[in-house]
Amino acid sequence: MHPRVVAIIQGRMSSSRLPGKILADIAGQPMLQRVFVRTSRSASVTETIFATTTDPSDDPVAAYCDFSWIPCTRGRLFDVLDRYYQAAKGAKADVVVRITADCPIIDPTLIDDVVNTLINDEYDFVANRLPPPFPRTYPIGLDVEACTFEVLEKAWKEAKEPQHREHAMPYFYEGIELTTINRQLQTGISPRGYKVAILHHTTNFGDYRWTVDTPEDLEFIRQVYSRFDGRDDFTWKEVLELVHDEPKLMEINAGVQHKTLKDIDERATGN
């Protein structure tokens, strides 16, 4: 019997760098709709849920999801791990996929790669990138993480540090030393005993920035969607061809500094 795979997209209106971005228009649809549709196309995903917060600023998000028939749960503002756990538990997930709402070029085939690796090879946690200082080979904005519900529940019970709660899944891989199996796979056992796999692309595109965290990022994404006439069924490799054909596109947001795992929203700690 195939496990029940639930993709959970996290997003809130009170983004620290670009407030309201998840409802920003991209070729006629809000960004969260673009992410939801692309995630839902993953063959391995049973159900896709949008997880926002109970903060009043996210009332428009819940209203849009209700209007658009997007399954939506609401949870704690800064405890994203709790938000994931509660959504996954309510959906009776066997496997949980973490997607962020600022990734409107997320690719369903990459989601399938991560999920199938997790299930077929019996890992606890699989991703196609880890945050710095670990190297990444997929463009920023194609990030997929997946874990079993069993280990998510364990982390939910045990994790206490702010970065574990706000970033949802670092508890599984923190402090890990990875062994390179081949050009596309690194594995390891984390200090807490979790079996981890990281998937890589054979060519390094890790400096390419396809996420939305600033006005410049949003403009880049809008330009990409316009090149595909507002469709949302293009693949990440088609975007790769596009930016190689039109290198000036990536100049739009070339100066944006990417956030790291150490960037905790100060509002979460009361500072």
Side-chain angles (χ1 to χ4, degrees):
M1 185 175 175
H2 195 273
R4 180 169 171 77
V5 179
V6 178
I8 301 174
I9 304 166
Q10 69 180 76
R12 57 186 172 95
M13 291 291 280
S14 54
S15 160
S16 58
R17 291 214 275 187
L18 188 59
K21 67 183 181 182
I22 64 173
L23 289 180
D25 180 84
I26 299 174
Q29 292 182 19
M31 182 159 65
L32 75 82
Q33 176 87 30
R34 296 295 192 181
V35 180
F36 177 81
V37 169
R38 291 179 67 88
T39 301
S40 299
R41 286 203 178 100
S42 167
S44 59
V45 169
T46 312
E47 181 180 9
T48 305
I49 296 172
F50 199 88
T52 193
T53 85
T54 53
D55 191 82
S57 65
D58 287 317
D59 289 349
V61 177
Y64 180 83
C65 288
D66 185 54
F67 173 77
S68 303
W69 298 91
I70 294 175
C72 179
T73 62
R74 303 185 71 173
R76 297 168 72 173
L77 183 59
F78 297 115
D79 191 346
V80 182
L81 176 55
D82 182 68
R83 223 191 299 168
Y84 266 85
Y85 172 71
Q86 300 299 343
K89 184 180 179 183
K92 296 180 169 57
D94 298 309
V95 171
V96 181
V97 180
R98 178 181 179 236
I99 305 291
T100 57
D102 52 8
C103 294
I105 301 180
I106 195 71
D107 194 292
T109 60
L110 297 183
I111 296 174
D112 291 339
D113 289 345
V114 168
V115 170
N116 292 333
T117 300
L118 182 94
I119 294 171
N120 296 338
D121 298 327
E122 298 183 348
Y123 288 101
D124 296 314
F125 172 87
V126 178
N128 61 358
R129 73 88 181 89
L130 290 181
F134 295 97
R136 66 179 298 141
T137 53
Y138 284 100
I140 301 165
L142 298 182
D143 301 1
V144 181
E145 297 178 358
C147 68
T148 66
F149 179 77
E150 182 181 6
V151 300
L152 183 73
E153 186 168 55
K154 196 167 186 288
W156 176 76
K157 289 176 180 176
E158 295 176 358
K160 306 298 181 191
E161 296 297 321
Q163 73 270 21
H164 297 153
R165 309 302 299 193
E166 187 177 344
H167 293 289
M169 294 187 178
Y171 192 75
F172 303 131
Y173 56 79
E174 194 173 64
I176 196 168
E177 292 186 9
L178 295 169
T179 299
T180 299
I181 306 302
N182 55 52
R183 290 175 67 191
Q184 294 179 280
L185 178 68
Q186 288 183 300
T187 66
I189 305 292
S190 76
R192 296 186 177 95
Y194 295 107
K195 187 180 178 186
V196 170
I198 307 303
L199 306 184
H200 290 287
H201 193 259
T202 49
T203 305
N204 188 345
F205 299 115
D207 290 336
Y208 290 24
R209 184 177 173 83
W210 299 353
T211 189
V212 178
D213 210 24
T214 69
E216 294 84 358
D217 293 334
L218 182 58
E219 177 59 25
F220 167 76
I221 293 293
R222 284 170 170 166
Q223 291 294 330
V224 169
Y225 268 83
S226 73
R227 299 303 194 278
F228 293 101
D229 301 318
R231 297 181 359 254
D232 53 23
D233 59 351
F234 54 87
T235 68
W236 81 274
K237 289 188 176 178
E238 287 180 284
V239 180
L240 200 59
E241 291 176 11
L242 172 65
V243 297
H244 288 169
D245 288 342
E246 296 187 50
K248 282 192 174 297
L249 280 174
M250 289 208 297
E251 293 178 12
I252 296 172
N253 63 344
V256 177
Q257 183 68 35
H258 190 58
K259 290 196 292 187
T260 73
L261 190 63
K262 293 179 180 177
D263 291 317
I264 305 296
D265 195 314
E266 290 185 350
R267 292 169 295 182
T269 55
N271 295 330

